[in-house]
Structures are given as structure tokens and as C-alpha cells.
């Protein structure tokens, strides 16, 4: 009897390690979960998020409107976040005043996934602190071109941003476009423009940028959104009514055309093919959603590519002058 008990104990001792090993092995569910865990396919540098903020006006909203789709079309693996601190008609002197007086007058536009979220009644620092911005753009507003691109305010704004944004960042400069000459696009409060006034408006902005901004070491890069618009109108003969939605602001087509040229100037990449065929309504800014889906024709694609190529080579030249 004792011999049988000893044999049983010996067998049990031999089984214990096996049982312990079984207990530590993953279950079928756990094995499945482990095997389906995503594997890294990009280097840390390739996967790095790019976060771009612009301090501006409604023209900044127009410029950034479809920029997320442009980046995803050309660089599908690039994670990108866009932000706009918007106040209607805002110049650098107005931004400076609002900051000094601590006014919560901004609409903060943010796009992290193709969809625009808008938060109203924001202070400037609300938007600046919301993301770890890599690039912050200043933009010439009404009167800035005629006022030496407002050097005092440029200095104040960059110093203010540096004090708020602790994440490593660079500053870029953005020059916008000119008003429409098409009577069909005049608003009740709009002053009619002539073609000569368009050239003058863009020329003044470009000349001021060349004189006061392009050689300023404060700015890592510089982008002109007026050049592609002028090229499309004067060289490609695209009617203004197709590129503007009123005398000052751009249509979806205009936003897309400017967006691709903006992309080439920012990245240095060429645009040789556009894969987008449609931009769904829900991905557009609220002011444009009533228009429905944006259909992108082959004719539009070729015009956008041609304009982007010209602008990349001649960003600070007034086309057709």
C-alpha cells in the first residue's frame, strides 16, 4: 500500500511542471489577439505627425479647406493635423490687439481626420496649446502689404507664439490672393475690381513680401497662394465664376487648385497625378456643405496639375503681367 502511495506521489510530482506550463500558455483567444496585433510598417520618421497652424482670416480657411485631402492624395501615409485661428478680415495688427487685450474672439478650426471641427469664442492661446504644432504660419491681412508687412506685429506674434508653444516649431509666411472682377460675384458691400486692380493687388503683396519677408531669417518657408490663382485665370482662362464663390472667397474648385499649389510650395514635391475623383460633402467646411459632393473632372485635374507645376517654379512672379 505504501509503495502504491509513493508511486502516486512520484507521478504527481512529475506532472506538476507540465500542468504549470499549460497554465502559462495563452488561450486560443489570447493567441488570436496576439497574432493580429498590427506590425509597424513605417520608420518613426515616416510615421511622424505633421501639425500645421495658420493665424489668419477667412482666406486662411479657404486655403486650408481641402488641404487635408490634398496631403492624403499625395502622401497617403502622412499623419496630418491642420488648424486655423480665424477672425474675419484679420490682419496682423488685429491679431496683436486681440492678444494684448486677451479677447476670446476666434473661431478655432481643427482637422485631424478629414472632418473640420469648429470651436467658437476662443482665445489665441486656446488653439496654440491644443496641439503640438510643428509649423505656424503668419499671413498678410488688409493693410499689411502697404505697412511694411507690419514688422512690429510680426515680431510680437512670433515672440508670443514662442512663449505659448513649447513644442519645437518653425514659422512660415503666407501671402493670399486678390479680389474678383466678375460682376456676378459682387456682394452688396463689394467694390467692383478691374483686371488692372487685380494685378496691382497681387503685385503689391508680392513686392512687399520680397522686400520685407522673403529674406527674413525668422521664416523657415514662404508660400504665395495668389500666384496659382492668377495663373489659372490669366493663362489657363478659367472663368472667375468657377474659382470664386463671391468677390473675395474661393469656390471648392478654387480651394482645391490653391491647395495643390500650396502643397508643392510647402513640401517641394511635384504633383504629376491627382487620384481624387470626389470630395464628399461632410468633409468640407460648413459654409460649403450645402453645395453637395465636389466632383473632380479630368479637365479640372489637368488644370490643377499645370497650375501647381507653374507655381512651384515661379511662386513669387505675377503671371501674365
Amino acid at each position: 500500500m505504501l509503495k502504491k502511495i509513493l508511486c502516486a506521489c512520484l507521478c504527481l510530482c512529475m506532472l506538476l511542471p507540465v500542468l504549470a506550463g499549460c497554465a502559462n500558455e495563452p488561450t486560443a483567444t489570447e493567441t488570436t489577439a496576439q497574432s493580429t496585433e498590427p506590425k509597424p510598417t513605417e520608420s518613426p520618421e515616416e510615421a511622424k505627425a505633421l501639425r500645421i497652424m495658420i493665424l489668419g482670416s477667412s482666406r486662411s480657411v479657404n486655403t486650408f479647406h481641402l488641404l487635408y485631402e490634398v496631403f492624403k492624395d499625395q502622401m497617403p501615409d502622412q499623419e496630418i493635423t491642420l488648424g486655423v485661428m480665424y477672425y474675419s478680415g484679420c490682419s496682423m495688427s488685429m491679431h496683436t490687439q486681440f492678444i494684448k487685450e486677451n479677447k476670446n474672439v476666434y473661431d478655432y478650426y481643427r482637422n485631424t481626420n478629414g472632418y473640420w471641427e469648429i470651436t467658437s469664442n476662443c482665445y489665441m492661446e486656446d488653439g496654440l496649446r491644443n496641439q503640438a504644432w510643428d509649423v505656424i504660419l503668419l499671413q498678410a491681412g488688409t493693410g499689411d502689404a502697404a505697412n511694411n508687412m507690419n514688422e512690429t506685429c510680426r515680431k510680437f506674434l512670433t515672440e508670443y507664439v514662442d512663449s505659448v508653444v513649447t513644442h519645437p516649431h518653425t514659422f512660415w509666411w503666407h501671402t493670399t490672393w486678390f479680389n474678383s472682377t466678375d460682376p456676378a460675384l459682387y456682394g452688396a458691400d463689394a467694390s467692383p475690381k478691374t483686371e488692372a486692380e487685380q494685378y496691382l493687388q497681387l503685385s503689391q503683396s508680392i513686392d512687399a513680401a520680397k522686400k520685407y519677408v522673403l529674406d527674413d531669417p525668422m521664416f523657415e518657408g514662404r508660400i504665395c497662394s495668389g500666384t496659382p490663382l492668377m495663373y489659372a485665370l490669366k493663362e489657363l482662362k478659367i472663368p472667375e465664376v468657377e474659382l470664386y464663390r463671391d468677390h473675395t472667397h474661393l469656390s471648392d474648385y478654387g480651394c482645391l487648385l490653391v491647395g495643390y499649389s500650396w502643397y508643392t510650395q510647402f513640401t517641394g514635391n511635384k504633383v504629376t497625378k491627382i487620384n481624387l475623383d470626389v470630395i464628399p460633402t461632410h468633409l468640407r467646411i460648413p459654409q460649403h456643405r450645402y453645395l453637395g459632393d465636389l466632383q473632380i473632372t479630368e479637365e479640372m485635374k489637368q488644370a490643377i496639375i499645370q497650375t501647381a507645376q507653374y507655381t512651384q517654379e515661379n511662386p513669387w512672379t505675377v503671371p501674365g503681367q
Side-chain angles (χ1 to χ4, degrees):
M1 182 67 179
L2 180 60
K3 186 176 180 180
K4 290 183 178 179
I5 294 174
L6 289 173
C7 289
C9 289
L10 182 61
C11 291
L12 181 61
C13 291
M14 293 174 65
L15 283 172
L16 281 175
V18 177
L19 294 172
C22 292
N24 289 331
E25 285 188 9
T27 63
T29 304
E30 290 170 336
T31 303
T32 303
Q34 289 175 359
S35 65
T36 58
E37 191 172 309
K39 307 295 183 193
T41 58
E42 300 173 315
S43 69
E45 185 63 28
E46 291 172 331
K48 182 182 182 298
L50 177 61
R51 301 178 178 90
I52 308 172
M53 161 70 84
I54 186 167
L55 316 183
S57 62
S58 56
R59 293 190 179 192
S60 311
V61 175
N62 270 190
T63 303
F64 275 34
H65 177 196
L66 300 177
L67 197 56
Y68 186 94
E69 281 67 42
V70 170
F71 267 91
K72 284 300 183 180
D73 178 50
Q74 298 295 304
M75 301 173 66
D77 295 328
Q78 175 66 61
E79 181 183 341
I80 186 165
T81 294
L82 301 174
V84 182
M85 294 308 292
Y86 159 77
Y87 184 86
S88 178
C90 208
S91 63
M92 287 187 291
S93 59
M94 293 171 68
H95 284 306
T96 300
Q97 179 184 351
F98 293 151
I99 292 169
K100 288 181 175 180
E101 296 177 359
N102 197 32
K103 290 189 173 180
N104 59 330
V105 296
Y106 292 98
D107 286 339
Y108 169 41
Y109 285 69
R110 185 182 68 176
N111 191 332
T112 61
N113 58 4
Y115 183 83
W116 283 102
E117 301 172 1
I118 305 172
T119 307
S120 298
N121 303 317
C122 290
Y123 299 93
M124 175 65 81
E125 68 175 303
D126 293 337
L128 291 176
R129 293 187 190 279
N130 183 258
Q131 297 284 319
W133 301 109
D134 302 296
V135 176
I136 292 134
L137 292 102
L138 303 187
Q139 174 181 292
T142 304
D144 286 328
N147 189 26
N148 301 346
M149 286 301 187
N150 222 322
E151 183 176 2
T152 302
C153 292
R154 291 203 316 269
K155 186 173 185 295
F156 172 84
L157 290 171
T158 52
E159 289 178 351
Y160 172 77
V161 170
D162 284 339
S163 71
V164 174
V165 180
T166 57
H167 180 77
H169 57 275
T170 59
F171 291 102
W172 282 57
W173 178 261
H174 183 230
T175 292
T176 66
W177 52 87
F178 40 86
N179 292 346
S180 167
T181 66
D182 193 328
L185 298 166
Y186 296 153
D189 59 346
S191 301
K193 296 291 178 182
T194 65
E195 187 171 298
E197 286 175 319
Q198 282 187 335
Y199 280 116
L200 179 62
Q201 193 173 353
L202 182 58
S203 296
Q204 286 180 336
S205 295
I206 287 179
D207 289 345
K210 286 178 177 178
K211 187 173 182 180
Y212 300 107
V213 176
L214 297 195
D215 294 328
D216 190 337
M218 176 189 306
F219 296 105
E220 179 78 16
R222 300 133 190 97
I223 294 173
C224 184
S225 292
T227 300
L229 195 60
M230 179 70 81
Y231 179 82
L233 290 171
K234 307 309 177 188
E235 300 299 317
L236 300 185
K237 307 300 181 184
I238 300 175
E240 285 186 25
V241 72
E242 293 185 20
L243 297 177
Y244 288 84
R245 67 177 171 88
D246 59 36
H247 73 292
T248 301
H249 303 102
L250 302 182
S251 66
D252 287 330
Y253 183 11
C255 291
L256 198 63
L257 181 136
V258 166
Y260 275 96
S261 291
W262 198 101
Y263 165 85
T264 63
Q265 293 177 79
F266 182 78
T267 64
N269 297 337
K270 293 185 181 297
V271 174
T272 58
K273 181 181 179 182
I274 295 174
N275 301 300
L276 292 173
D277 294 313
V278 60
I279 295 180
T281 298
H282 72 280
L283 296 183
R284 294 149 78 182
I285 56 174
Q287 299 93 312
H288 287 222
R289 287 178 190 159
Y290 74 95
L291 296 169
D293 295 347
L294 172 62
Q295 305 293 332
I296 307 168
T297 66
E298 286 303 316
E299 184 180 3
M300 291 167 64
K301 290 181 181 182
Q302 291 308 308
I304 290 170
I305 290 171
Q306 192 172 340
T307 300
Q309 290 173 344
Y310 173 88
T311 305
Q312 188 172 24
E313 297 172 0
N314 310 278
W316 300 99
T317 301
V318 181
Q321 193 175 41

